[in-house]
Amino acid sequence: MNDMDALIIGEHSFHSRLLVGSGKYRDLEQTRSAIIGSGAEIVTVAIRRTNIGQNSNEPNLLSVIPPGEFTILPNSAGCYLAEDAVRTLRLARELLEGRNLVKLEVLGDAKTLYPNMPETLKAAKILIKDGFEVMAYCSDDPIQARMLEDIGCVAVMPLASLIGSGMGILNPWNIGIIIEQSHVPVIIDAGVGTASDAAIAMELGCDAVLMNSAIAHASDPVRMARAMMNAVIAGRDAFLAGRMPRHHYHGDPSSPTSGLIELNEQ
Amino acid sequence: MNNIRVNGESCKVPGGWRVSDLLLDLGHIGGRIAVERNGEIVPRSDYEQVSLQANDNIEIVSAIGGG
């Protein structure tokens, strides 16, 4: 099926502009139901030590979201230094049998979870040289975003607000600058709280939205997943449709002013 | 026996054990995992070739839910 509005990331093409995380769900069954309900094709995962003594027959995450059915995007969540992020993502590539599309995330602070941009840039350079296609989580600083693009990241992923905060886009003007200057996809990542946040991101001109908590921590995650799917589609259509201009100080009637029946004098 | 560390915990393994023997013992053969030995990745194709040495530091990871 020819998709005229496909999302192109590096060498890959996707239909859905909603990317989702796999964390914070009640159990693996809910994880899968929500992800399926979202229509997302790209799903992020974290890389952690296996439980020593774990029975290999126990269900694990990749058995409910198989790499054959989804594009599994490993992240470097939990890393505060470039070298740790690089090690983590190299392990991820080995685990996923050579797949090299990754989400790079290097944090600077355990309370705010704000990204450490110097370490992120350092890690990105090493990973790109090592053949990875890097989608980089970043601050909404247009210069940092441009630096990531210039060194070869396949996507820049500015935060809307703090990870897990649900605050939505706090600085649409910065996001707008990043969108205007970027030649790689701009994917809002972190801080989305509800459907309107996702729609607003797409209306600004973002190429996609990545979220986890907004769905997993909703009271009804499967229903919110559907809401998000629709919000991303609606926002994208609204963006492509070209919205009407705003009029700040005057109205503009929707019904004609001519042909009125005889009315009382105003 | 050799003293090694696996995922941060000390343990003893028989001399001559390869990475594949360790993984089999832990029930991981066939699972989607990755292995690092002393900071370097051990490719899947080398599990049966690489022998564990005394004081080796082994990390075995898998994918879990995350954002």
Side-chain angles (χ1 to χ4, degrees), chain A residues 2-147:
Chain A
N2 185 25
D3 185 343
M4 298 295 290
D5 191 35
L7 170 64
I8 310 291
I9 301 175
E11 309 279 297
H12 313 271
S13 177
F14 302 95
H15 300 299
S16 170
R17 292 177 177 270
L18 174 57
L19 290 66
V20 296
S22 54
K24 294 172 137 174
Y25 287 102
R26 184 187 64 218
D27 52 39
L28 288 179
E29 188 192 335
Q30 191 187 63
T31 306
R32 180 174 168 83
S33 300
I35 290 171
I36 299 269
S38 74
E41 293 162 281
I42 301 171
V43 183
T44 62
V45 300
I47 303 296
R48 293 287 182 272
R49 286 172 167 171
T50 57
N51 212 350
I52 293 300
Q54 177 184 54
N55 186 344
S56 64
N57 287 331
E58 272 175 27
N60 61 54
L61 179 68
L62 294 185
S63 64
V64 301
I65 49 166
E69 195 180 334
F70 297 93
T71 295
I72 300 298
L73 184 67
N75 69 29
S76 59
C79 295
Y80 289 79
L81 292 174
E83 65 180 88
D84 293 333
V86 170
R87 261 178 79 204
T88 301
L89 293 174
R90 282 179 172 149
L91 279 163
R93 179 166 62 180
E94 172 64 27
L95 194 155
L96 292 170
E97 295 167 1
R99 295 194 62 95
N100 62 9
L101 184 69
V102 295
K103 169 177 162 173
L104 172 63
E105 176 182 317
V106 188
L107 302 185
D109 181 74
K111 181 178 171 190
T112 63
L113 305 178
Y114 213 83
N116 179 327
M117 292 315 302
E119 288 295 303
T120 301
L121 281 156
K122 189 172 160 194
K125 281 187 188 130
I126 298 168
L127 289 163
I128 288 163
K129 195 163 171 207
D130 196 11
F132 286 89
E133 294 179 282
V134 177
M135 299 171 66
Y137 171 60
C138 61
S139 61
D140 60 357
D141 176 333
I143 301 300
Q144 298 296 323
R146 184 154 64 201
M147 288 166 83

Side-chain angles (χ1 to χ4, degrees), chain A residues 225-244:
Chain A
R226 185 169 80 231
M228 291 300 184
M229 177 178 71
N230 289 326
V232 168
I233 291 169
R236 182 65 176 171
D237 269 338
F239 172 72
L240 292 176
R243 64 153 296 150
M244 61 167 280

